[in-house]
Amino acid sequence: SQKIEQNSEALNIQEGKTATLTCNYTNYSPAYLQWYRQDPGRGPVFLLLIRENEKEKRKERLKVTFDTTLKQSLFHITASQPADSATYLCALLGGGADGLTFGKGTHLIIQP
Amino acid sequence: AAGVIQSPRHLIKEKRETATLKCYPIPRHDTVYWYQQGPGQDPQFLISFYEKMQSDKGSIPDRFSAQQFSDYHSELNMSSLELGDSALYFCASRRMGRTEKETQYFGPGTRLLVL
């Protein structure tokens, strides 16, 4: 069956360091992959979309890589700040469905 | 910039009651999605509409139904509510045909508590 895996344990990073989050998927052949940020009790906020023919995409302090051979995406936040603390969700379209399938999310904590 | 609007933001119901959640997409967005997020869970896709027609169905229970109206707003109707229906319900919208058409924009959610 199709599965999206993210490290569900909290990730603690010191302020100013680079945070790296991992998203692995199985039994998907996605045309693109998306990353969202979610704060407690709020709706997911779109961050970045990377297509299968793109190896890397950047937006300000964010960088996403996409390796369709490894079936993995890495999400990096450079020069991390306490305000970056949130849950980060990886999302794919799959199985012919129109709706997104999300990973469980990684809870990122940036410590001052 | 205008965002997705959901109402009500909070709702408390008793078991076996009905509930109606409303979603107003971003102006000129023609596609609406509904997701359910239980405590500590990831959002689960329920159903979607494009141009007022159902376009896809996810894990939506038979007790739930939804529709999209001529002004593109959508309503999720939930009947015979169960305790397990307590969750955050998100609506998302997008506009087909745009370059980043795959991006879905989420609303703030409706928190439903079934007692």
Side-chain angles (χ1 to χ4, degrees):
Chain A
S1 63
Q2 295 173 323
K3 202 188 285 188
I4 302 174
E5 290 182 344
Q6 294 184 254
N7 188 347
S8 58
E9 294 177 9
L11 180 62
N12 284 272
I13 299 290
Q14 186 120 29
E15 181 178 7
K17 303 286 187 186
T18 296
T20 299
L21 285 63
T22 304
C23 173
N24 295 295
Y25 59 91
T26 54
N27 297 322
Y28 277 100
S29 295
Y32 53 85
L33 182 147
Q34 303 184 53
W35 284 89
Y36 284 79
R37 168 184 172 144
Q38 188 173 28
D39 292 283
R42 294 176 173 252
V45 175
F46 171 75
L47 296 176
L48 280 168
L49 179 152
I50 186 164
R51 300 179 191 282
E52 60 178 340
N53 60 348
E54 297 175 316
K55 293 285 187 222
E56 180 180 299
K57 200 153 189 181
R58 293 174 185 261
K59 179 182 173 183
E60 297 173 353
R61 295 183 297 109
L62 308 180
K63 184 178 87 171
V64 172
T65 62
F66 194 15
D67 188 326
T68 54
T69 302
L70 288 179
K71 295 187 183 293
Q72 181 182 79
S73 175
L74 298 178
F75 176 81
H76 306 270
I77 305 176
T78 58
S80 59
Q81 304 166 1
D84 295 326
S85 299
T87 295
Y88 291 86
L89 300 162
C90 167
L92 294 171
L93 279 178
D98 193 33
L100 291 171
T101 299
F102 288 89
K104 297 290 182 205
T106 296
H107 183 41
L108 176 65
I109 301 168
I110 306 298
Q111 294 173 334
Chain B
V4 175
I5 297 171
Q6 291 187 245
S7 69
R9 294 295 311 280
H10 302 273
L11 191 58
I12 300 176
K13 291 285 184 178
E14 301 274 341
K15 270 172 40 177
R16 293 180 287 279
E17 285 191 322
T18 61
T20 297
L21 309 186
K22 296 185 180 183
C23 168
Y24 298 86
I26 292 171
R28 293 187 298 281
H29 281 199
D30 48 23
T31 307
V32 168
Y33 304 81
W34 286 96
Y35 292 85
Q36 177 193 58
Q37 187 173 28
Q41 302 297 311
D42 53 293
Q44 296 290 315
F45 169 64
L46 294 178
I47 195 167
S48 61
F49 292 87
Y50 167 63
E51 283 291 343
K52 292 150 279 183
M53 300 285 290
Q54 181 183 307
S55 61
D56 199 12
K57 209 169 178 178
S59 53
I60 185 169
D62 292 339
R63 298 177 289 108
F64 295 4
S65 64
Q67 56 182 324
Q68 186 180 32
F69 295 85
S70 57
D71 63 351
Y72 295 103
H73 95 272
S74 178
E75 295 184 3
L76 177 66
N77 299 294
M78 309 160 71
S79 62
S80 303
L81 287 169
E82 301 173 356
L83 297 178
D85 296 329
S86 297
L88 266 171
Y89 290 83
F90 292 109
C91 170
S93 74
R94 78 175 193 191
R95 183 178 173 187
M96 297 290 276
R98 289 183 61 89
T99 303
E100 293 288 338
K101 64 179 182 178
E102 301 89 353
T103 301
Q104 296 181 24
Y105 295 89
F106 283 75
T110 294
R111 184 175 293 281
L112 172 66
L113 178 61
V114 181
L115 301 175

